[in-house]
C-alpha cells in the first residue's frame, strides 16, 4: 500500500490558522476530492472537527487520544500504525493522510508520496507542516496555476516521491512510486 500525504501549505509551511485553512482555493478543493475519492483518509480529531463531518465517498479514519470520541460514519483509532492497518486490511492501494500537523509528523516515516499544493503567499498561521528533508524527495511533476476569481493565490501543484529510505540502518537509494 502506498502511503501519501496530501497537503496545501504556504511559503512558510503554514497549513492552518485558528482551525481553518487560511486561503480560499476552489481548484485545490476539487483536486483534493478527485485524488482522494474512493480511498481511505487519515486525519486527526482537530482536522475532522474543522471539516465538520465525514467526507463522502471515502473511508474517514480519525486519530485521537480521546478514548470516548465518536465520529458518525468514521473509524476512530488511537495511533497512526492502527490507522494504516485499517486501510491495509481493507485492501487499500493508496491511503491519504490529510492532517493536521501532528498527524503529518507521525505519518512521515511511512510516507511514500506527497501531493503538495504550494500556496504562493505568507499568511498568518497557527499550524505548520513538520520540517522535512526535501533531499529525500523527488518532484515527478508540477503545474503552476495563477490566482483567479475562485482561487485567492497563485499555487504550484506538485507530486513528490521519496527516493531514499532508511531501512535496517542502511540508506537505500530506491525510487518509490
Amino acid at each position: 500500500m502506498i502511503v501519501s500525504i496530501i497537503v496545501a501549505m504556504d511559503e512558510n509551511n503554514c497549513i492552518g490558522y485558528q482551525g481553518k485553512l487560511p486561503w480560499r482555493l476552489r481548484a485545490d478543493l476539487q483536486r483534493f476530492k478527485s485524488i482522494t475519492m474512493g480511498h481511505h483518509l487519515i486525519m486527526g480529531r482537530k482536522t475532522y472537527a474543522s471539516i465538520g463531518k465525514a467526507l463522502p465517498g471515502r473511508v474517514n479514519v480519525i486519530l485521537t487520544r480521546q478514548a470516548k470520541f465518536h465520529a458518525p460514519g468514521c473509524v476512530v483509532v488511537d495511533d497512526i500504525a492502527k490507522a494504516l492497518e485499517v486501510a491495509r486490511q481493507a485492501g487499500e492501494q493508496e491511503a491519504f493522510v490529510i492532517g493536521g500537523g501532528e498527524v503529518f509528523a507521525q505519518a512521515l516515516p511511512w510516507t511514500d508520496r506527497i501531493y503538495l499544493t504550494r500556496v504562493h503567499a505568507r499568511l498568518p498561521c497557527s499550524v505548520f507542516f513538520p520540517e522535512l528533508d526535501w533531499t529525500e524527495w523527488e518532484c515527478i511533476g508540477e503545474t503552476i496555476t495563477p490566482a483567479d476569481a475562485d482561487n485567492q493565490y497563485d499555487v504550484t501543484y506538485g507530486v513528490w516521491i521519496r527516493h531514499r529510505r532508511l531501512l535496517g540502518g542502511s540508506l537505500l537509494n530506491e525510487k518509490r512510486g
Side-chain angles (χ1 to χ4, degrees), residues 1 36 38-42 58-61 75 83 86-88 90-92 94-98:
M1 177 178 79
T36 63
H39 293 281
H40 282 70
L41 301 181
I42 299 168
R58 291 152 280 200
V59 177
N60 292 248
V61 182
V75 177
V86 165
R88 193 173 287 111
E92 179 64 77
E94 184 173 13
F96 290 90
V97 178
I98 69 167

Side-chain angles (χ1 to χ4, degrees), residues 125-138:
C125 191
S126 56
V127 182
F128 292 89
F129 191 80
E131 289 298 317
L132 188 63
D133 181 357
W134 286 102
T135 64
E136 294 182 8
W137 298 85
E138 177 183 355

Side-chain angles (χ1 to χ4, degrees), residues 3 80-81 84 88 106-112 162 165 176:
V3 177
I80 190 70
L84 294 171
R88 193 173 287 111
Q106 292 171 29
L108 276 171
W110 284 282
T111 302
D112 303 294
R162 188 185 300 260
R165 189 58 98 163
R176 303 283 299 194

Side-chain angles (χ1 to χ4, degrees), residues 10-130:
D10 80 358
E11 293 171 353
N12 289 323
N13 296 343
C14 173
I15 61 173
Y17 182 63
Q18 298 178 344
K20 297 183 178 165
L21 294 174
W23 45 72
R24 184 184 44 76
L25 298 169
R26 184 170 186 214
D28 185 54
L29 295 175
Q30 292 169 338
R31 177 179 181 259
F32 174 89
K33 183 178 181 179
S34 75
I35 291 170
T36 63
M37 188 57 72
H39 293 281
H40 282 70
L41 301 181
I42 299 168
M43 69 190 92
R45 179 188 49 78
K46 292 176 190 172
T47 298
Y48 170 76
S50 74
I51 296 168
K53 63 179 182 176
L55 291 171
R58 291 152 280 200
V59 177
N60 292 248
V61 182
I62 313 302
L63 245 55
T64 182
R65 292 181 214 97
Q66 294 181 2
K68 295 182 181 189
F69 182 79
H70 177 73
C74 300
V75 177
V76 179
V77 297
D78 62 2
D79 75 31
I80 190 70
K82 289 177 185 172
L84 294 171
E85 190 58 26
V86 165
R88 193 173 287 111
Q89 289 292 322
E92 179 64 77
Q93 296 297 306
E94 184 173 13
F96 290 90
V97 178
I98 69 167
E102 289 179 38
V103 175
F104 285 140
Q106 292 171 29
L108 276 171
W110 284 282
T111 302
D112 303 294
R113 186 177 292 158
I114 298 174
Y115 294 84
L116 173 62
T117 300
R118 180 65 76 176
V119 180
H120 296 291
R122 295 176 189 272
L123 302 165
C125 191
S126 56
V127 182
F128 292 89
F129 191 80

Side-chain angles (χ1 to χ4, degrees), residues 166-177:
L166 187 60
L167 296 173
S170 65
L171 191 60
L172 301 177
N173 290 317
E174 172 183 280
K175 297 275 182 191
R176 303 283 299 194

Side-chain angles (χ1 to χ4, degrees), residues 31 114-118 139-143 156-160:
R31 177 179 181 259
I114 298 174
Y115 294 84
L116 173 62
T117 300
R118 180 65 76 176
C139 184
I140 60 171
E142 281 189 333
T143 305
T156 301
Y157 298 111
V159 179
W160 294 77

